[in-house]
Amino acid sequence: MSEKYFLKENMEKNVSDYDFSAFKKALKMGQNKVIKEIEDSGLKGRGGAGFPTGFKWKLASQQEADLKYFICNGDEGEPGTFKDRLLMEDSPVKVLEGIMIGAFAVGASQGYIYIRGEYAKPIKIFNKIIKEAKKEQVLGENIFGSDFSFEMKLIKGAGAYVCGDETSLINSIEGHRGISRIKPPYPIEKGLFDKPTVVNNVETLSCAAEIINQGSDTYNELGTENSRGTKLVCLSGDINEPGVYEVEFGSMTIREIIQEFGKGIKNNKELKFVIPGGISTSILSNDKIDIPYTYEDIEKAESSLGSGALIVVAKGHDLIDLMLNASRFYMDETCGTCFPCREGNRQVHHMLKKAMGKGIDHNKTELIKDIGKTIRLASRCGLGQSSLNFIGSVIDEYPNELLIGGVDNG
Ligand SMILES: Cc1cc2nc3c(=O)[nH]c(=O)nc-3n(C[C@H](O)[C@H](O)[C@H](O)COP(=O)(O)O)c2cc1C
Ligand code: SF4
């Protein structure tokens, strides 16, 4: 079992009790060294896309502008993901410190934390933290006697999954409808109110604060060449002990995470498949989960680590019902801008609804896969592009079970 933790240090809830040692260290290091340290750590964004954080900060720091923004993405809408909530509740000051370090590194003077509306507790905590930080002059002009000034606000999301996408989130903060923007231009060039803007996930920023605190060398002792450090895994589904577990990349297989952290499958049932990165990712069947938990191994198995939501599915579920559930989510959550995403997800939902209790034939499943390809090719944002990953992979893996009504009694 992995016994190495990285994020567990400095779990503070009050600004006045926190020493901000990582931020003070960053101020002494200067912008370029902070960016280099994050680049050297190999940290990849934990919001789902896995974009290298140091590189994003470097590009943003090179933008010439009178004003830059730094946004912490706490929307956490991917079904099965609940690790950002834990960080915002249990170590909010470290999240704040990560935001301040990132803002300092890229030269941003204004920031936001965008938290999903359903997260009442993190919203309450962050309102308090921001107020306290202003009072303690941790936010404001010339922080800790430096040249760096930074102000921050909290924005409460209104329950749309698409608003977790960075460009929709920016539209939402500007007061527009939460719909994705066409990229390029990327937010680091032209983001919030047309100014260079960095958007980073809550977990990414907690890691960044700890990397500055403990050094990229310490971070690099953990994980593999392409998956450095640790990852918060949200374990849910048919397991005995669901929860958030910190896993050193490469130290455990997916099956070991389920067995050792999750304490195995509920009611002694047999595992059928896992969804390794939230419902926007393809399934891995029981025979494919003896692989190390890393970005590269999961990609090799033709899925994605996504946001770290590891959903475990035991034998005995109605597969069509599971697919119907997923399709309802995408049908409800599409912003409607792109015709294939809007109409395709509605059509798939309709076909699956008709198939409930009866089964679905090969022609229809091929049609669903075709719709999936069209949506992937012709959609503007990741919501549409990944909306049929889960459903398409179930069709590929269990074609015969779908024919006989979707129930697997094996
Ligand atoms: C539909 C959709 C939903 C998303 N939801 C989230 C989210 O809830 N939290 C998040 O951090 N990133 C989310 N992302 C990814 C963001 O667009 C962005 O890549 C991320 O916030 C960047 O931070 P990172 O580089 O630290 O991962 C979502 C993307 C899409 C397409
Ligand atoms: S892919 Fe879907 S969610 Fe994304 S912009 Fe297009 S319609 Fe909206």
Side-chain angles (χ1 to χ4, degrees):
M1 181 185 308
S2 169
E3 285 176 348
K4 293 182 186 161
Y5 299 107
F6 193 72
L7 278 174
K8 267 198 162 174
E9 311 291 318
N10 294 333
M11 308 271 270
E12 267 311 337
K13 289 190 181 153
N14 296 312
V15 173
S16 50
D17 296 335
Y18 196 74
D19 62 7
F20 288 89
S21 56
F23 177 68
K24 287 177 186 159
K25 196 171 162 187
L27 287 177
K28 279 200 192 125
M29 289 163 75
Q31 289 172 282
N32 291 342
K33 279 199 180 142
V34 170
I35 292 173
K36 172 91 174 38
E37 194 72 9
I38 300 298
E39 277 192 302
D40 289 348
S41 74
L43 175 65
K44 290 180 181 171
R46 304 294 197 232
F51 192 82
T53 308
F55 187 53
K56 188 188 275 186
W57 289 10
K58 190 166 149 183
L59 294 176
S61 74
Q62 289 164 350
Q63 299 291 318
E64 299 283 341
D66 56 344
L67 176 62
K68 293 182 195 175
Y69 291 102
F70 199 95
I71 301 172
C72 175
N73 189 345
D75 197 51
E76 194 156 63
E78 177 72 24
T81 316
F82 42 90
K83 41 99 187 169
D84 293 340
R85 187 181 92 190
L86 186 93
L87 289 170
M88 290 189 281
E89 289 181 2
D90 284 0
S91 52
V93 193
K94 185 155 57 185
V95 177
L96 172 67
E97 190 176 35
I99 298 170
M100 290 167 66
I101 291 170
F104 168 70
V106 307
S109 56
Q110 291 191 26
Y112 291 88
I113 180 161
Y114 188 99
I115 306 180
R116 67 177 288 164
E118 295 91 333
Y119 279 3
K121 197 171 166 192
I123 288 170
K124 197 170 161 202
I125 290 172
F126 261 93
N127 272 325
K128 175 183 154 281
I129 295 273
I130 292 173
K131 211 164 145 195
E132 216 186 332
K134 283 183 183 162
K135 190 167 151 242
E136 299 279 331
Q137 296 176 332
V138 171
L139 287 173
E141 297 288 313
N142 303 106
I143 302 169
F144 298 125
S146 70
D147 301 342
F148 177 62
S149 302
F150 184 63
E151 297 285 354
M152 229 187 96
K153 285 187 189 145
L154 184 152
I155 303 282
K156 196 170 130 182
Y161 171 56
V162 74
C163 283
D165 164 71
E166 55 187 6
T167 60
S168 312
L169 185 150
I170 286 170
N171 272 336
S172 164
I173 296 180
E174 287 185 3
H176 304 301
R177 246 185 89 198
I179 53 175
S180 296
R181 294 179 178 178
I182 292 172
K183 295 192 270 190
Y186 292 92
I188 51 154
E189 304 158 280
K190 201 173 169 196
L192 188 62
F193 302 113
D194 290 344
K195 300 291 181 190
T197 304
V198 171
V199 182
N200 272 131
N201 171 258
V202 169
E203 185 186 351
T204 313
L205 294 170
S206 303
C207 288
E210 267 320 303
I211 288 165
I212 297 301
N213 204 19
Q214 300 182 43
S216 59
D217 289 347
T218 311
Y219 195 67
N220 284 337
E221 284 167 16
L222 303 169
T224 67
E225 179 64 26
N226 291 313
S227 304
R228 313 260 189 97
T230 63
K231 176 81 190 80
L232 294 183
V233 178
C234 312
L235 199 48
S236 69
D238 295 320
I239 43 155
N240 288 314
E241 292 196 12
V244 178
Y245 300 97
E246 183 170 6
V247 174
E248 182 194 352
F249 280 119
S251 70
M252 299 172 90
T253 64
I254 293 179
R255 194 181 306 282
E256 283 166 349
I257 294 174
I258 294 165
Q259 290 304 334
E260 291 174 32
F261 287 133
K263 304 281 181 262
I265 311 296
K266 256 193 208 161
N267 304 324
N268 291 323
K269 284 198 173 170
E270 210 181 309
L271 188 148
K272 189 170 180 75
F273 62 80
V274 303
I275 313 172
I279 65 156
S280 302
T281 63
S282 303
I283 64 161
L284 297 175
S285 54
N286 192 11
D287 56 330
K288 294 184 186 142
I289 63 167
D290 295 297
I291 52 169
Y293 188 77
T294 65
Y295 285 103
E296 59 274 21
D297 286 284
I298 298 178
E299 263 161 41
K300 240 186 272 162
E302 296 180 3
S303 188
S304 157
L305 190 140
S307 55
L310 182 55
I311 305 168
V312 179
V313 180
K315 282 193 170 183
H317 287 281
D318 181 336
L319 293 179
I320 293 179
D321 191 33
L322 295 181
M323 296 197 294
L324 183 68
N325 236 313
S327 81
R328 186 180 307 122
F329 175 76
Y330 291 106
M331 183 182 71
D332 288 346
E333 295 297 333
T334 170
C335 81
T337 308
C338 318
F339 176 78
C341 172
R342 184 182 73 228
E343 200 50 34
N345 278 303
R346 203 176 68 83
Q347 289 295 335
V348 170
H349 182 73
H350 184 66
M351 278 190 266
L352 290 169
K353 207 168 173 187
K354 275 178 84 177
M356 270 300 288
K358 297 185 198 122
I360 186 163
D361 67 32
H362 181 69
N363 289 339
K364 291 258 165 50
T365 54
E366 282 304 296
L367 182 58
I368 290 176
K369 280 168 60 184
D370 272 356
I371 292 173
K373 276 185 209 148
T374 310
I375 300 180
R376 194 168 305 119
L377 286 172
S379 292
R380 183 187 284 187
C381 86
L383 186 151
Q385 287 155 11
S386 57
S387 56
L388 286 185
N389 282 347
F390 167 69
I391 291 171
S393 61
V394 172
I395 291 173
D396 284 341
E397 197 65 47
Y398 307 107
N400 297 334
E401 288 174 31
L402 300 176
L403 281 175
I404 56 162
V407 186
D408 154 43
N409 295 314

